[in-house]
Amino acid sequence: MDAQPTARRLRCLVTGASGYIGGRLVPELLAAGHRVRCLARSPGKLRDHPWSGDVEVVKGDVTNRDEVAEALRGIDVAYYLVHALDSGSGFEETDRQAARTFAEQASKAGVRRIAYLGGLTPRGVPERRLSPHLRSRAEVGRILLSGSVPATVLRAAVVIGSGSASFEMLRYLTERLPVMVTPSWVHTRTQPIGVRDVLRYLVGSATMPDDVNRTFDIGGPDVLTYLDMMRSYAAVAGLPRRLIVPVPVLTPRLSSHWVGLVTPVPAAIARPLTESLRHEVVCHEHDIARYVPDLSGRPLPFGEALTLALRRVREAQVATRWSSAAVPGAPSDPLPTDPDWAGGSLYQDERQLSVDVSRAALWEVIEGIGGDNGWYSLPLAWAVRGWLDRFVGGVGLRRGRRDAQRLRVGDSLDFWRVEEIEPGRLLRLRAEMRLPGLAWLEMYAETADDGRTRYRQRALFHPRGLLGHAYWWAVFPFHAAVFGGMARNITQAAAKGMSPHSPARASGSKRRAEQDLRH
């Protein structure tokens, strides 16, 4: 994207830097010449980003007054890019208190401006009729605007970009269902915007005059129905025209489960997206252009934003994904090595095998696991486990990988998340499927005492209550086939040179990507 010129180097705080927008905003701010500090609950998630060495990272939570105060110290512009995604009854209060805390501490720290990205709300619709998530986004915007620090509140509808939840929902619905029965909201008009333009407006917000304290509607030049967007996607991707039959009986709740069944976006995240489509959301002003002038050909038309997003997916250049953020209902607990677990049950399944290849060759196979590369044992069993997880509202296996070859801390990997990675030695994954407990999978590439390369694998499970213990022993008989087969097949793949980096695997992945776009 084209960086906005700035008169001076500003000190910027980015909250939500591990999320989809935040992770893309940081390098744009750096390119514009600003200094960046990131506030993260788990700083390790930012460690492997290409820009991590160019920013300051501080640990903290936006709900903690003292941590927010420390993070805002010496900051000129603060970006508030966090939301509670949980569907529980308390998420609106969490959003409310966090926004108040942030506004109050920003004032005390002498921050010059707050910038916030919220949702575009329909005109003429009583707030009580809005979805809880959209209502909460609007309230957060009002709280920030009512503070003493000038705020820029950007309101966007559907964001189109490689890896965004909106884009992936659109992509998979269109690609997988040549004939589909859809909810009535496919006829609702909306005004999508490319992620590049969202980032351009966010960066430009940093240099707005001090007397600007207001909301701005941001959108692309096209006003479309979701039906129009699906048909445009089919045309851009070279797919046959889709037959779409809307029916009125699919409520937003049922729609979210339908989306969760067909796409990688779980129902807990799909529901706020589908609920926001019940009402027409189009921009009623374009005043942002007074402060962030439109460039030639910008904002991007919908078709161009789609083409760019598809190209990024095809070339495996997805910088951040919607699944970079925490998944509602997934555990975010500490590592199994923490001493707090003393005296608790920790089940383990450990296996190790030696293989006559270099550690580097073994590591290539380990780092390439998951997604299109598979899990190296009983594909049907993994698929069934993914289907069961989707059935109970989990993420399932469809999230795939951000990159076909490389992993970094915080990446989602099917129904796992990368919790730790020591290149060439250790990959630790934390389970994000629905479980009565906490689970990890560790894979090591080591050198044995005899000098040979050793593959070591540990599955760990910390049960929650009696149901957790029952779950472990119910699946225990299958461990030999699943985990034992995984260990054997990973070492055999390394011995045969069948890592995802090998020409045969790489060309196969490329062919699959091209087939996905055609079909």
Side-chain angles (χ1 to χ4, degrees), residues 219-382:
D222 303 305
V223 176
L224 305 163
T225 66
Y226 207 85
L227 178 63
D228 295 331
M229 290 193 287
M230 287 191 285
R231 286 177 173 162
S232 295
Y233 180 95
V236 170
L239 302 171
R241 184 177 176 87
R242 273 26 194 166
L243 178 61
I244 300 168
V245 182
V247 295
V249 295
L250 285 176
T251 65
R253 179 184 291 272
L254 290 175
S255 296
S256 66
H257 288 291
W258 172 68
V259 170
L261 181 66
V262 177
T263 80
V265 182
I269 293 177
R271 186 172 182 186
L273 295 176
T274 56
E275 284 181 330
S276 67
L277 294 169
R278 286 187 300 173
H279 306 290
E280 179 176 291
V281 281
V282 298
C283 299
H284 292 277
E285 43 86 5
H286 188 54
D287 296 347
I288 188 73
R290 299 178 191 170
Y291 308 99
V292 188
D294 290 333
L295 307 175
S296 177
R298 305 294 280 272
L300 281 176
F302 177 72
E304 291 184 28
L306 267 186
T307 300
L308 182 61
L310 279 168
R311 185 186 309 148
R312 293 284 188 180
V313 171
R314 182 175 64 248
E315 295 174 356
Q317 294 181 349
V318 181
T320 59
R321 300 182 74 226
W322 62 271
S323 51
S324 302
V327 174
S332 55
D333 299 78
L335 303 180
T337 50
D338 284 1
D340 292 342
W341 287 24
S345 299
L346 183 63
Y347 293 117
Q348 298 188 48
D349 181 285
E350 184 166 2
R351 300 170 191 274
Q352 58 185 34
L353 290 171
S354 295
V355 58
D356 292 321
V357 297
S358 67
R359 281 179 57 184
L362 175 59
W363 177 253
E364 285 188 354
V365 178
I366 292 173
E367 190 178 13
I369 201 166
D372 285 345
N373 302 321
W375 291 90
Y376 292 92
S377 72
L378 297 180
L380 180 60
W382 285 93

Side-chain angles (χ1 to χ4, degrees), residues 118-123 154-158 189-193 198 201 214-224 279-288 299:
L120 190 58
T121 54
R123 281 194 174 183
L154 304 179
R155 307 193 308 174
V158 176
R189 295 199 314 160
T190 188
Q191 193 163 350
I193 182 171
V198 173
Y201 292 139
R214 55 163 293 184
T215 64
F216 293 93
D217 293 352
I218 58 172
D222 303 305
V223 176
L224 305 163
H279 306 290
E280 179 176 291
V281 281
V282 298
C283 299
H284 292 277
E285 43 86 5
H286 188 54
D287 296 347
I288 188 73

Side-chain angles (χ1 to χ4, degrees), residues 410-471:
D411 274 359
S412 59
L413 183 59
D414 293 325
F415 48 41
W416 305 88
R417 187 170 296 276
V418 179
E419 187 158 76
E420 183 57 72
I421 185 167
E422 297 177 18
R425 177 181 175 269
L426 164 67
L427 173 63
R428 178 186 292 125
L429 307 176
R430 187 187 73 235
E432 290 195 329
M433 72 281 278
R434 296 297 179 92
L435 290 170
L438 307 173
W440 288 261
L441 178 62
E442 297 178 336
M443 289 165 275
Y444 296 82
E446 301 175 327
T447 300
D449 293 339
D450 60 4
R452 299 179 69 197
T453 296
R454 177 175 62 204
Y455 171 72
R456 185 161 63 91
Q457 174 183 293
R458 283 203 313 167
L460 303 101
F461 183 68
H462 182 66
R464 185 187 303 116
L466 182 60
L467 183 59
H469 291 277
Y471 173 84

